[in-house]
Amino acid sequence: GGGYDAFITCLSPSLSNWIGATYLGVPGDEYVGDIAIGTNGNVYVTGSTISPMFPKTAGAYQTNNYNGVFVSCLDPALTNLIASTLVASSNGSGQGQCLILDTNGDVIVAGESSTNFPTTAGAYSTNYSGRSDLFVCRLNSTLTNLIASTLIGGPTNDYAAAIRLLSNGNIVVAGNVGAGYPTTPDAYRTDGGMAVSVLGPALTNLVVSMRMFGDTIGDIALTASIEVVLAGWCGIDSYDMALIHVPTNAYQTEDGWAYYHEFMTNDMV
């Protein structure tokens, strides 16, 4: 419908059959940051729109003609827009970068916020701190209720890149951050341009938060023993391997403009 439209496509397991596909957009630009599948097969996506005409459904949490973060749900065949809402502010910016569903079907979204981004009473932080703050929010499965929403940030740019859910309901979010991003006293490190933070299920408390050196976090994963595994990229100019403990028996101990993996123990969660 515009310069760039979001799209969702479903392929057969053998990748030999095109099962379904749809655009999701209007005049203006939209992009999808992440996707998740509900237990009933419904497809949830989050992303960003710059059009006030982005499709919202009746009864959705937010139907204002704003730009910014959207969350949408489509049926498994991609023929019906079941629910769609904005989680946006009046200044018209913000990006939904990552999304995960919990065992109750709640939709947990994280990304980059802007001024006046919606937060909820009692959240860990309701004060916008910088040029952009990382946000984490929780909506119900029908996208009619913003259950909880918090900001995390310092005076510069902070945004989420990946999110995972622990078995105790705590939420692990990783992203790229600037000076002043909050850390906790028992953190592994308290400086660097990347961060991993753990929030309580209600988004009212910061359980633990750490920073580390590097350029960009690409994604995170959890092991069976609840270690947090990070992957991303780094450059020689911005990353010194000596700043992170790299064992002498690691596959590669010199950066070489390479990708990296770093394991954090379950002590942080």
Side-chain angles (χ1 to χ4, degrees):
Y4 295 93
D5 279 353
F7 75 89
I8 303 100
T9 297
C10 180
L11 298 161
S12 66
S14 64
L15 306 183
S16 60
N17 185 24
W18 200 282
I19 296 173
T22 187
Y23 291 113
L24 183 61
V26 291
D29 293 340
E30 292 82 29
Y31 90 96
V32 169
D34 205 359
I35 187 169
I37 308 298
T39 55
N40 56 3
N42 287 344
V43 180
Y44 289 86
V45 292
T46 189
S48 179
T49 178
I50 64 168
S51 174
M53 299 171 61
F54 186 83
K56 286 86 68 176
T57 51
Y61 158 68
Q62 190 181 68
T63 58
N64 310 68
N65 291 327
Y66 291 164
N67 305 337
V69 178
F70 72 81
V71 185
S72 300
C73 175
L74 296 103
D75 70 319
L78 304 179
T79 58
N80 181 31
L81 184 64
I82 297 171
S84 185
T85 188
L86 298 178
V87 186
S89 61
S90 57
N91 79 342
S93 61
Q95 300 178 22
Q97 302 276 28
C98 38
L99 177 153
I100 196 166
L101 306 178
D102 74 4
T103 55
N104 296 320
D106 287 349
V107 184
I108 303 168
V109 179
E112 182 178 7
S113 70
S114 58
T115 55
N116 301 316
F117 189 85
T119 57
T120 51
Y124 162 69
S125 176
T126 60
N127 297 319
Y128 187 74
S129 302
R131 292 195 292 267
S132 64
D133 279 356
L134 184 154
F135 79 86
V136 182
C137 70
R138 178 189 292 271
L139 296 119
N140 64 341
S141 61
T142 57
L143 308 182
T144 58
N145 182 27
L146 185 67
I147 299 169
S149 181
T150 189
L151 303 174
I152 314 176
T156 56
N157 294 323
D158 311 293
Y159 67 90
I163 191 168
R164 291 293 182 270
L165 192 65
L166 297 173
S167 59
N168 63 1
N170 284 349
I171 298 162
V172 183
V173 60
N176 302 294
V177 303
Y181 184 87
T183 57
T184 49
D186 53 350
Y188 169 67
R189 290 197 68 91
T190 59
D191 53 357
M194 302 184 299
V196 182
S197 301
V198 180
L199 291 150
L203 306 181
T204 56
N205 63 308
L206 189 64
V207 178
V208 66
S209 183
M210 59 151 281
R211 293 169 62 183
M212 59 189 292
F213 282 86
D215 284 320
T216 302
I217 286 181
D219 205 357
I220 58 175
L222 303 177
T223 69
S225 55
I226 324 181
E227 292 171 330
V228 181
V229 186
L230 293 79
W233 64 274
C234 56
I236 289 176
D237 291 338
S238 63
Y239 186 80
D240 181 355
M241 281 292 190
L243 295 175
I244 289 183
H245 173 65
V246 177
T248 56
N249 63 347
Y251 164 68
Q252 183 169 330
T253 57
E254 296 180 357
D255 55 16
W257 296 85
Y259 288 85
Y260 71 89
H261 289 78
E262 174 70 10
F263 285 78
M264 306 307 301
T265 69
N266 61 2
D267 290 339
M268 70 168 292
V269 297

